[in-house]
Amino acid sequence: MEGRADATDQLSDTVDYSALADLMLEVSASRSFMTVEGLAGAFADAAMERFPMVVALDVRIQKLAPKMAAEVESCGVRLRRERRIMGGR
């Protein structure tokens, strides 16, 4: 994020995490997703669009106790999106 809340410790320099959680609920209710990858991608795209101060975003979604042949506690996906910055990186 451009605001650098890690340096300033100011709420105005970060994204409202409650708003991010609300966005996840909104995206997940918007349609049925066959894969956690699809949900992660839709959420990442929506978050990058709604919150212009976000320059990079890591989304991690875990599905607890998935139905599969092997017994596992969870499985999931991690997805990263970065905004292209003109004249930057």
Side-chain angles (χ1 to χ4, degrees), residues 27-60:
V27 169
S28 63
S30 70
R31 67 181 177 91
S32 179
F33 291 92
M34 297 295 293
T35 65
V36 290
E37 291 87 350
L39 175 59
F43 172 73
D45 292 343
M48 294 294 278
E49 183 178 322
R50 187 165 299 179
F51 302 101
M53 78 181 312
V54 173
V55 294
L57 177 71
D58 284 309
V59 178
R60 188 176 124 193

Side-chain angles (χ1 to χ4, degrees), residues 1-2 4 53-57 80-89:
M1 286 185 247
E2 290 181 34
R4 298 286 321 249
M53 78 181 312
V54 173
V55 294
L57 177 71
R80 181 170 179 83
R81 290 278 198 276
E82 292 185 31
R83 192 179 305 279
R84 293 180 186 210
I85 301 173
M86 301 294 283
R89 303 179 207 171

